[in-house]
């Protein structure tokens, strides 16, 4: 049933996903805009929210609006650059239709006017690479307890202001928040678990975390300064640590991180650590998921992701380890990580056509590669394999400048 598919996909999203899978294959066959069960609603296409009026029509069709607790904006099969944009301009008010809603998950969907206002009583918000189209981003959720951001980089000032509007946040998780400007001071007076990993563009962090128990900075490759603020924000009087109380002790995790001397000194001098920095000095985490973090850490230390001349036509194979044999690009697997590519076609973002970058992620299940661009190392996009071609050393035959051919 549709309800069983919604519940099953909701459970799958709590852990690791493999593609293709029979649940999403069946959902794709049914070709629906949404699926619902008694507790969960899936919006399967951004077309369902192309305008507030369109989304209102969807909400009026729901059978379980009074019991739904979980909302997923999750395109099936996958999002596409030509998809319409889900409009959030009236989303917060429209959620009065779902009075028991506690959890919102936005996953790989094109969105605009992204604003979550205080009328929502959300406790959990998960943002996995939402494709924000207009730069508008605001989260004002005073009841929010958990915020997860993966491959998502909201505007820095908007992000800091939003945290001020979420004073009850107990768990924060960011993976690849690659910001353009330095982050302002971040105030999280209630946070017990703070994770900021793969902060590749982050050289400084200033954090108010008086109650933190786990501080995770794994795979932050260039964190030079870390400040643990002693005083909270003036707007958080109700939530700040009283002056007569000592801040919490915490466990630090720095697996595959590069911390500068000033950042290390700040941790040591805080007197709050329950474990020793020394345990991470030789820990490269070469097994499992952490293995990729270790690889990128070592590449970073070797200067592999340093700035390149934007106008350069060729990249030396001896300097980058880029293969000159096109046959090695036939399969999308971890073997092509680090290869240099050029964008040859895009339906949107046409200003990127001709730009070069390196492959830093591989998604064989849907024929995509993640590319970090040379002209702006903070820009990473997931692109179809047909949209890029490999860049070869100067003098290589034009016959070797081929697109990525196939995915097994």
């Amino acid at each position: 049933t549709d309800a069983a598919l919604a519940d099953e996909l909701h459970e799958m999203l709590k852990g690791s996903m493999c593609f293709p899978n029979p649940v999403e294959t069946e959902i794709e066959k049914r070709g629906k805009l949404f699926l619902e069960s008694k507790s969960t609603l899936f919006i399967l296409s951004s077309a369902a929210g192309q305008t507030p009026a369109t989304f209102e029509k969807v909400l009026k069709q729901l059978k379980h609006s009074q019991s739904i607790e979980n909302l997923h904006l999750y395109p099936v099969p996958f999002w596409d650059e030509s998809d319409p944009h889900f409009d959030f301009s009236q989303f917060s008010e429209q959620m009065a239709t779902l009075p028991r809603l506690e959890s919102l998950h936005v996953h790989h969907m094109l969105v605009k006017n992204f604003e979550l206002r205080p009328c929502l009583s959300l406790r959990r918000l998960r943002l996995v690479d939402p494709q924000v189209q207009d730069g508008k981003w605001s989260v004002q959720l005073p009841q929010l307890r958990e915020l997860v951001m993966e491959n998502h980089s909201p505007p820095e000032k908007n992000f800091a202001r939003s945290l001020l509007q979420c004073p009850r946040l107990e768990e924060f998780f960011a993976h690849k928040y690659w910001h353009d400007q330095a982050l302002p001071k971040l105030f999280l007076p209630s946070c017990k678990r703070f994770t900021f990993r793969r902060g590749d563009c982050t050289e400084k962090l200033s954090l108010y975390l008086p109650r933190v128990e786990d501080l995770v900075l794994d795979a932050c490759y260039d964190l030079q300064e870390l400040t643990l603020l002693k005083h909270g924000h003036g707007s958080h009087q109700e939530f700040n640590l009283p002056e007569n109380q000592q801040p919490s002790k915490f466990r630090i995790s720095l697996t595959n991180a590069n911390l500068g001397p000033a950042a290390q000194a700040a941790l040591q001098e805080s007197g709050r650590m329950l474990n020793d920095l020394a345990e991470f000095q030789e820990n490269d985490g070469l097994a499992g998921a952490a293995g990729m973090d270790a690889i990128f850490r070592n590449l970073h230390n070797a200067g592999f992701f340093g700035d390149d001349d934007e106008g350069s036509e060729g990249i030396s194979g001896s300097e980058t380890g880029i293969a000159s044999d096109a046959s090695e690009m036939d399969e999308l697997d971890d073997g092509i990580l680090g290869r240099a590519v050029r964008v040859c076609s895009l339906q949107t973002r046409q200003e990127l056509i001709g730009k070069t970058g390196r492959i830093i992620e591989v998604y064989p299940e849907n024929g995509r590669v993640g590319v970090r661009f040379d002209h702006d190392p903070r820009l990473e996009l997931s692109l179809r394999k047909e949209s890029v071609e490999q860049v070869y050393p100067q003098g290589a035959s034009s016959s070797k400048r081929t697109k990525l051919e196939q995915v097994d």
Side-chain angles (χ1 to χ4, degrees), residues 126-322:
R126 185 180 182 193
L127 305 173
V128 180
D129 197 21
Q131 306 292 310
V132 178
Q133 300 298 299
D134 55 4
K136 296 181 180 179
W137 198 95
S138 177
V139 175
Q140 305 170 50
L141 299 173
Q143 300 304 319
L144 193 67
R145 298 316 201 263
E146 178 182 347
L147 173 59
V148 175
M149 305 193 315
E150 299 182 37
N151 294 35
H152 181 50
S153 300
E156 299 85 359
K157 292 182 179 180
N158 291 12
F159 172 67
R161 283 195 292 263
S162 292
L163 287 184
L164 293 178
Q165 303 301 316
C166 305
R168 294 178 175 85
L169 197 63
E170 296 178 355
E171 182 165 354
F172 173 79
F173 178 98
H175 172 71
K176 294 185 179 179
Y177 180 4
W178 292 352
H179 44 88
D180 293 322
Q181 306 296 326
L183 286 175
K185 296 176 180 179
L186 304 180
F187 295 89
L188 298 96
S190 305
C191 188
K192 296 180 179 178
R193 181 172 176 81
F194 181 91
T195 300
F196 193 96
R197 68 180 321 280
R198 281 301 301 271
D200 297 20
C201 304
T202 305
E203 296 183 358
K204 300 179 181 180
L205 275 178
S206 293
L207 308 170
Y208 180 65
L209 294 168
R211 296 177 173 90
V212 72
E213 298 172 0
D214 293 284
L215 177 57
V216 182
L217 301 173
D218 293 347
C220 286
Y221 303 132
D222 196 22
L223 186 57
Q224 298 301 314
E225 297 182 24
L226 176 64
T227 303
L228 297 177
L229 301 170
K230 296 181 179 180
H231 302 287
H233 195 270
S235 66
H236 285 169
Q237 293 294 335
E238 177 184 352
F239 303 96
N240 291 335
L241 192 72
E243 292 186 4
N244 60 351
Q245 288 188 19
Q246 293 296 315
S248 63
K249 303 284 186 177
F250 58 79
R251 291 192 60 82
I252 185 77
S253 180
L254 300 169
T255 302
N256 295 313
N258 292 329
L259 256 65
Q264 293 185 44
L267 285 169
Q268 297 281 16
E269 293 169 5
S270 73
R272 297 176 61 185
M273 288 192 302
L274 294 172
N275 55 332
D276 196 328
L277 293 180
E279 67 184 83
F280 300 102
Q281 291 179 355
E282 300 300 329
N283 183 0
D284 280 341
L286 294 177
M292 292 309 303
D293 292 343
I295 290 171
F296 283 117
R297 176 195 183 193
N298 293 335
L299 291 173
H300 180 94
N301 290 344
F304 189 85
F305 290 128
D307 293 336
D308 294 311
D309 292 334
E310 183 174 338
S312 175
E313 284 295 323
I315 301 175
S316 168
S318 62
E319 292 178 357
T320 64
I322 298 172

Side-chain angles (χ1 to χ4, degrees), residues 12 28 41 44 73 91 144 146 152 170 196 209 220 275 321 328 332 345 350 369 377 400 406:
M12 291 168 62
E28 182 179 359
L41 171 63
L44 302 171
L73 273 59
F91 178 87
L144 193 67
E146 178 182 347
H152 181 50
E170 296 178 355
F196 193 96
L209 294 168
C220 286
N275 55 332
E328 294 188 25
L332 295 189
S345 64
Q350 294 192 6
V369 291
K400 287 188 174 182
Q406 69 181 37

Side-chain angles (χ1 to χ4, degrees), residues 4 61 80 90 97 101 105 154 181 195 202 216 225 271 303 314 336 407:
Q61 297 178 55
D80 189 86
Q90 297 181 29
T97 306
L101 186 67
H105 174 197
Q181 306 296 326
T195 300
T202 305
V216 182
E225 297 182 24
I336 65 171
V407 182

